[in-house]
Amino acid sequence: MPLREVQFPDAASLSNGKERIIIFFASRLPESNSLWCPDCLAAEDLIRNTFGSEQGPPAVLAYVGQRSDWKTPDNIFRKEPWKVKVIPTIIKLDEAGEEIGRLVDGQNLISEELASFIQ
């Protein structure tokens, strides 16, 4: 199932409980279509290769906003229910939609680690 983009991940935006991985990423710059966050940029190919194909695990991608939006404490993704502190952040949910795991930028996202996390 290809990676699907959503405005804000909630129970209504996740397709029938099949999508249990949420990826929080920097938004793209309007003038260049590139990511403003260097850590997200570094992880982009791994994310696309892992989740972007028809054979990839179902996941949703949520853009947290431009740099100035993300840096404000009032950014919606920094609050309940997700409490994202750094990007990229990948959250794994159980069948009931409860968080059961989290990978964050500081964990040096590598393909082996991601593969183990999504199992």
Side-chain angles (χ1 to χ4, degrees), residues 26-37 66-67:
S27 294
R28 296 189 176 279
L29 295 168
E31 61 275 7
S32 65
N33 202 37
S34 65
L35 301 166
W36 59 261
C37 169
Q66 296 301 329
R67 183 182 190 92

Side-chain angles (χ1 to χ4, degrees), residues 3-73:
L3 187 59
R4 188 170 63 91
E5 295 178 8
V6 296
Q7 288 288 98
F8 186 81
D10 58 16
S13 68
L14 303 178
S15 64
N16 299 326
K18 293 179 185 176
E19 295 165 326
R20 292 191 285 162
I21 302 287
I22 304 170
I23 303 157
F24 295 90
F25 239 40
S27 294
R28 296 189 176 279
L29 295 168
E31 61 275 7
S32 65
N33 202 37
S34 65
L35 301 166
W36 59 261
C37 169
D39 295 326
C40 293
L41 193 56
E44 184 176 25
D45 285 343
L46 176 59
I47 297 298
R48 295 279 175 204
N49 291 338
T50 302
F51 299 100
S53 74
E54 288 295 327
Q55 296 77 29
V60 295
L61 180 67
Y63 292 110
V64 300
Q66 296 301 329
R67 183 182 190 92
S68 59
D69 299 326
W70 169 244
K71 294 295 183 180
T72 66

Side-chain angles (χ1 to χ4, degrees), residues 102-118:
R102 184 178 287 232
L103 283 177
V104 297
D105 156 61
Q107 293 171 309
N108 299 319
L109 190 60
I110 57 173
S111 59
E112 293 82 12
E113 181 181 43
L114 183 56
S116 174
F117 180 74
I118 60 177

